[in-house]
Amino acid sequence: MQQILITKSDGGREPFDSVKLMRSLLRAGAHEDKAQRIVEEVQKNLVEGMSTSKIYRHAFSLLAHDEQQGPAAM
């Protein structure tokens, strides 16, 4: 995957780090396989300059949707 710079809440920019997102999802209680699928889905939708808050909102909405749908979702 090409390196995409994202915009942090303080206005700084840094490369997207899938490990950070994965850790956040795991801390939120997602199982590892589910968290990995969410990270992969988020990576498909990344665009240069996207804010971390938008990335995390998207990831956690996927997690919430997945939990509402049950184990067969995603």
Side-chain angles (χ1 to χ4, degrees):
M1 187 181 137
Q2 72 180 23
Q3 185 172 335
I4 295 182
L5 294 178
I6 59 170
T7 304
K8 298 174 16 173
S9 60
D10 67 3
R13 294 179 63 142
E14 67 179 33
F16 173 74
D17 185 349
S18 61
V19 173
K20 288 181 181 180
L21 179 56
M22 181 75 151
R23 277 194 301 244
S24 292
L25 290 164
L26 293 172
R27 279 195 307 265
H31 292 281
E32 191 169 339
D33 59 331
K34 186 182 300 183
Q36 184 60 46
R37 287 193 308 268
I38 291 171
V39 168
E40 290 169 4
E41 183 64 27
V42 166
Q43 286 177 316
K44 292 178 193 173
N45 297 296
L46 284 178
V47 294
E48 189 76 24
M50 184 179 275
S51 70
T52 54
S53 62
K54 186 171 184 176
I55 292 166
Y56 278 75
R57 272 196 313 270
H58 180 60
F60 282 90
S61 72
L62 290 171
L63 179 60
H65 180 264
D66 187 53
E67 289 176 354
Q68 289 175 354
Q69 299 300 314
M74 283 199 69

